Amino acid sequence: MQTIVARGYLPGEAGYRRLSVALFAAGMATFAMLYSTQALLPELARVFRVSSSQSAFSVSFATMGLGVALLIAGPASEVLGRTRLMRWSVAAAAGIAVLCAIAPTWQTLLALRGLQGIAMAGLPAVAMAYLREEVHPDSHARASGLYIAGTAVGGMTGRLVAGGLADLGGWRVAMSGIAVLGVVCAVLVARLLPDSRNFVRSTGNRQTLRVLRDPALLALYGVAATAMGAFVAVYNATGFRLAEAPYGLGPGLAGLVFGVYLVGSAASALAGRLADTYGRRAVVPVGCLVTLAGVGFTLAGPLPLVVAGLAVMTAGFFAVHGVASGWVAVRAHAGGGGTGQAASFYLFAFYLGSSVFGGLAGTAWTHAAWPGVVAEAGTLLLITLLLALLLRRSAKLAG
């Protein structure tokens, strides 16, 4: 067995800077590609002559492929190693992004999106475990928040770039732009991401059972599914809402709404620092309340108020996710290992919630318009809050 000898990277060190830039770029590319079609849903529905619910499959197929592959990628990383898997994951996803831009039919596009989701799994499956192993314990929450900030910027960039380019040249030009971004970030990850110094190979069978029996970890998986389900449901329906009266916005202008993801990026980094100071148990419930308040605020009619509500919701969601995802890796390690498996189960729940509840947003929109979407998201977030409050009473191994 490999012996752990290296001290974790601290802020200010060259290794920490390289690690931070590489994971920020990896998170940005992965989430830009993953949600690139969300800003294009009305355009895809028009071009391919499918319904609003069917157009959402372009997001759901990718997230479902990612979620299923996470169950393999996490345990595999315990044997194969972290850095190799992350580098190849970003590179493969970028290659498939190129193919998505030239997909000849709707069925081909959906198949490629499913494959792209599978290819992406190597990064989110192990990023938190990698950070737990390579970063000094005093900076775990901060580093996790920075990585999640990268995913927030990626989600924003993918939607903004896709929406803007779709106005200029249609959905193929939009997808081509996202593919170029993915390739550039894949090169950065390959060149900058430091090799693992503290990784220990493990078969992980006993650890896998343990991370499925810990009540606190199970609650964190539930937080992932319900919070992400609510978040994606709102954003999946936002494009259709803004395309209709009284707003009547095209993909480019509607895509500008996703600029509020910058708020999510800042909120994730801030929540990480607050968690280092006040503890994860205090930060997660507050983040849930903020998210719920933001969703309720979107019921307002004027566009500025709708955007403000989305900004508040986004800030709260990324605070919850940034802290909860790092908490999973830390708690699993404190309980005896299995950080890769625990991170995989967390993210499986995360993307399962995205696929199922995000897909249901189309049905909610069709039958009850925006109030129906808010009702779906609000119900899910109340469950998230309940789970967060239960976590405050769980046995304290870490956080």
Side-chain angles (χ1 to χ4, degrees):
M1 179 176 292
Q2 176 184 345
T3 301
I4 298 179
V5 295
R7 175 181 61 81
Y9 295 115
L10 284 166
E13 296 178 349
Y16 185 91
R17 287 192 295 270
R18 290 181 58 204
L19 178 151
S20 298
V21 171
L23 284 184
F24 188 92
M28 183 173 68
T30 298
F31 284 80
M33 291 184 286
L34 183 63
Y35 291 110
S36 57
T37 62
Q38 194 172 53
L40 305 175
L41 295 184
E43 171 77 0
L44 293 173
R46 181 186 65 81
V47 171
F48 289 104
R49 298 181 180 180
V50 296
S51 68
S52 58
S53 297
Q54 289 173 318
S55 69
F57 291 163
S58 64
V59 179
S60 296
F61 270 52
T63 54
M64 184 61 75
L66 174 55
V68 172
L70 285 167
L71 296 178
I72 301 171
S77 75
E78 300 287 352
V79 178
L80 300 175
R82 317 289 193 205
T83 52
R84 180 188 304 174
L85 195 58
M86 287 190 284
R87 288 167 180 157
W88 279 107
S89 175
V90 179
I96 297 174
V98 175
L99 298 178
C100 286
I102 58 174
T105 66
W106 177 243
Q107 291 76 14
T108 303
L109 179 61
L110 291 183
L112 286 171
R113 289 288 288 165
L115 288 174
Q116 190 176 35
I118 293 171
M120 290 175 186
L123 174 76
V126 302
M128 288 301 176
Y130 174 81
L131 286 171
R132 207 282 312 159
E133 293 162 355
E134 305 302 327
V135 174
H136 193 278
D138 291 343
S139 302
H140 281 165
R142 181 182 303 183
S144 298
L146 185 60
Y147 163 67
I148 297 300
T151 69
V153 171
M156 177 197 72
T157 302
R159 292 163 170 96
L160 285 176
V161 170
L165 291 178
D167 270 352
L168 294 176
W171 74 272
R172 293 189 188 279
V173 173
M175 297 295 284
S176 297
I178 297 300
V180 171
L181 174 65
V183 170
V184 171
C185 288
V187 172
L188 285 176
V189 172
R191 292 179 62 88
L192 294 180
L193 186 66
D195 291 330
S196 295
R197 302 184 302 173
N198 296 328
F199 169 69
V200 178
R201 285 180 171 79
S202 169
T203 56
N205 292 331
R206 184 177 302 173
Q207 292 173 346
T208 298
L209 291 176
R210 189 187 61 76
V211 300
L212 286 174
R213 291 174 177 169
D214 182 351
L217 286 175
L218 292 175
L220 286 167
Y221 306 154
V223 165
T226 53
M228 184 58 169
F231 183 73
V232 173
V234 169
Y235 273 113
N236 273 358
T238 292
F240 292 102
R241 184 187 187 190
L242 296 182
E244 294 191 352
Y247 311 112
L249 302 182
L253 288 176
L256 292 176
V257 170
F258 295 109
V260 300
Y261 262 58
L262 285 175
V263 178
S265 178
S268 175
L270 174 61
R273 292 195 294 271
L274 292 175
D276 280 337
T277 303
Y278 300 106
R280 298 173 176 89
R281 294 164 184 264
V283 174
V284 172
V286 173
C288 292
L289 289 172
V290 172
T291 311
L292 187 59
V295 170
F297 208 57
T298 63
L299 287 167
L303 183 59
L305 294 182
V306 173
V307 174
L310 291 173
V312 172
M313 179 196 74
T314 301
F317 167 75
F318 277 103
V320 171
H321 174 45
V323 174
S325 57
W327 192 351
V328 166
V330 171
R331 183 173 178 93
H333 175 71
T339 55
Q341 293 96 321
S344 292
F345 286 124
Y346 174 88
L347 289 168
F348 172 74
F350 188 80
Y351 292 112
L352 180 64
S354 172
S355 301
V356 175
F357 299 123
L360 287 176
T363 303
W365 169 258
T366 299
H367 293 286
W370 192 252
V373 176
V374 170
E376 178 195 351
T379 300
L380 291 169
L381 288 170
L382 287 173
I383 297 172
T384 309
L385 178 60
L386 176 61
L387 291 169
L389 294 174
L390 290 174
L391 277 165
R392 291 177 60 87
R393 305 177 62 181
S394 63
K396 189 168 183 179
L397 296 180

